[in-house]
Amino acid sequence: MNRDEIIKVLKNPNAEKTKEIFSLADAVRKKSVGDEVHLRAIIEISNYCKESCLYCGLNKNNKNLKRYRLSEEEIFSTALKAFNFGFQTIVIQSGEDPLIKTEFIENVVKRIKDNLDVAITLSLGERNLDDYKRWKDAGSDRILLKFETSDLYLYNQLRGKNEKVHKRVEMLKELRTIGYEIGSGIMVGTPFQSYESLVDDLFLMKELDLDMIAIGPYIPHKDTPLNDKLNSIVVKDPEATTLILVALSRILNPFANIPSTTALSVIDPKEGRINGLKCGANVIMPDLTPEPYKSLYEIYDGKTSSPEWNEISQENLLRSLKMAGRIPSSSKGSRIKKIYPLQ
Ligand code: SF4
């Protein structure tokens, strides 16, 4: 499909065409990365943020949010809990918190790597390259840094920035040269976002050759400035559009790791995760942040509504994978480097 054809499908999805795209994506997924689903545990270590993104509940101007930071001990004990549940990747996530010191993350990464056989993904926002080099030396494996939209004008609007070049896109290229696997992605259906720019996002993710591609629907947060602009939303059905974009991403990037994002499961708690898996996704990233902190990492409304991860959550997840004909991965789930189609 070329650019114009994709735009046409996104604008006017008909059941037959959507079904065709989903089944092609599922077939590509099966042939390239198989039936395994990589389970990655997110630990949200701080909800402080120095930024003022208009869409995010963690933005520094949200005075209604109680803030927290986890101690090294709390992070390690949560990583241990995740490991005992069978998670083989720990995702350390936070707002852009300048009081999280370089040494702190270095120590956390070393301690986890010294004691647990897991991969570590860092999702800590924009930090200088030296920090990221030190964290790589300490043992971290992957970076998740979403560029949100390739449209620089929209990006500046949404994040309250005035950048001349897309800093996050440039950072991703630099982080790859350090040796990280790089993950990034977008939000679908923010106010002012056009279908055309979503297709540009799709091609940018391909051009960056991302190891992980995360696409999630925009969900408003009541205490953010963007909540007053909902009548400027162009994308009619962010959830359905997200699923089509997930499927197209799989077709364009056969070996990338593609999560069925949390936002999909917030919109549709029963089927959201599985719907993503049926459209080409092969990763699930449950939130293992302990209470009372988990409830405070409220990026968008409804994100924190699920209970703290426990045996029942784990059983439910494994059962739903089985029902979908998928199996939990037996590896850490680094991106497979092969050429498609397979010989
Ligand atoms: S999107 Fe990230 S950088 Fe922006 S306010 Fe939220 S946590 Fe901070």
Side-chain angles (χ1 to χ4, degrees):
M1 284 169 84
N2 63 30
R3 188 174 192 279
D4 290 342
E5 287 166 334
I6 298 174
I7 292 169
K8 200 169 150 196
V9 168
L10 292 178
K11 281 186 175 171
N12 297 301
N14 69 63
E16 198 185 331
K17 188 69 190 169
T18 309
K19 198 173 157 203
E20 191 187 308
I21 292 171
F22 288 172
S23 66
L24 177 58
D26 199 43
V28 171
R29 185 273 306 158
K30 197 171 177 62
K31 196 168 178 186
S32 55
V33 294
D35 288 334
E36 288 197 346
V37 176
H38 303 298
L39 305 180
R40 304 190 166 161
I42 299 180
I43 308 175
E44 294 150 342
I45 67 168
S46 162
N47 69 351
Y48 283 91
C49 190
K50 65 175 175 50
E51 295 296 325
S52 44
C53 304
L54 271 58
Y55 51 86
C56 176
L58 266 52
N59 82 77
K60 68 177 179 193
N61 302 315
N62 181 7
K63 305 297 178 211
N64 295 332
L65 183 66
K66 192 176 162 208
R67 306 282 171 165
Y68 73 86
R69 260 181 219 103
L70 264 60
S71 68
E72 182 186 321
E73 199 51 47
E74 287 170 318
I75 299 170
F76 181 74
S77 64
T78 310
L80 179 60
K81 176 180 167 183
F83 179 74
N84 288 335
F85 272 127
F87 289 90
Q88 296 187 61
T89 295
I90 306 295
V91 183
I92 298 175
Q93 191 160 65
S94 75
E96 291 199 7
D97 180 356
L99 291 187
I100 296 183
K101 298 295 174 205
T102 314
E103 300 74 32
F104 179 79
I105 296 298
E106 210 168 31
N107 291 339
V108 165
V109 169
K110 275 187 191 151
R111 184 161 173 199
I112 294 174
K113 291 294 267 199
D114 285 349
N115 290 283
L116 309 174
D117 185 20
V118 291
I120 294 183
T121 301
L122 299 178
S123 175
L124 305 171
E126 294 171 33
R127 304 278 298 217
N128 69 51
L129 218 52
D130 284 342
D131 284 356
Y132 277 115
K133 280 183 186 151
R134 281 176 62 175
W135 297 337
K136 184 83 188 70
D137 290 343
S140 58
D141 305 276
R142 305 175 190 139
I143 294 297
L144 174 56
L145 182 70
K146 289 173 92 176
F147 65 74
E148 309 295 4
T149 169
S150 57
D151 177 339
L152 186 57
Y153 180 77
L154 177 62
Y155 177 84
N156 280 332
Q157 269 189 316
L158 294 177
R159 299 204 63 224
K161 299 270 182 188
N162 188 22
E163 294 180 3
K164 301 285 180 276
V165 289
H166 203 311
K167 190 174 164 194
R168 287 194 168 201
V169 171
E170 296 309 308
M171 272 190 75
L172 287 164
K173 293 177 189 165
E174 288 179 327
L175 288 166
R176 164 152 285 152
T177 66
I178 300 176
Y180 281 109
E181 280 200 0
I182 57 166
S184 189
I186 58 167
M187 250 182 322
V188 177
T190 53
F192 311 110
Q193 185 181 42
S194 67
Y195 288 103
E196 287 77 5
S197 89
L198 284 170
V199 180
D200 292 340
D201 298 345
L202 206 56
F203 289 128
L204 177 59
M205 290 189 283
K206 166 87 180 156
E207 186 189 319
L208 289 169
D209 190 26
L210 296 175
D211 300 302
M212 190 185 90
I213 295 173
I215 303 173
Y218 163 66
I219 302 176
H221 185 291
K222 59 184 180 320
D223 295 324
T224 58
L226 215 59
N227 202 43
D228 299 333
K229 304 279 183 216
L230 302 184
N231 54 4
S232 304
I233 293 178
V234 177
V235 172
K236 287 177 227 137
D237 185 342
E239 184 191 3
T241 307
T242 295
L243 291 175
I244 297 173
L245 289 168
V246 166
L248 292 170
S249 295
R250 172 57 70 203
I251 295 165
L252 287 168
N253 310 273
F255 293 100
N257 283 317
I258 301 181
S260 179
T261 49
T262 310
L264 282 172
S265 66
V266 168
I267 291 179
D268 182 350
K270 250 184 134 183
E271 299 291 335
R273 263 196 189 125
I274 295 302
N275 287 343
L277 291 180
K278 286 180 183 164
C279 300
N282 69 324
V283 175
I284 285 182
M285 301 170 73
D287 183 354
L288 266 82
T289 311
E291 292 292 8
Y293 311 114
K294 179 180 176 297
S295 305
L296 300 172
Y297 206 86
E298 204 183 49
I299 302 175
Y300 47 78
D301 288 340
K303 166 162 182 310
T304 59
S305 55
S306 60
E308 185 175 308
W309 198 258
N310 55 29
E311 282 75 11
I312 297 169
S313 334
Q314 185 77 10
E315 272 170 30
N316 287 343
L317 172 61
L318 297 180
R319 192 178 315 116
S320 62
L321 289 185
K322 197 170 177 188
M323 281 170 66
R326 308 289 287 274
I327 44 175
S329 171
S330 53
S331 77
K332 295 192 186 78
S334 297
R335 184 240 189 122
I336 302 170
K337 304 267 183 194
K338 281 190 192 160
I339 306 294
Y340 195 83
L342 299 173
Q343 301 302 314

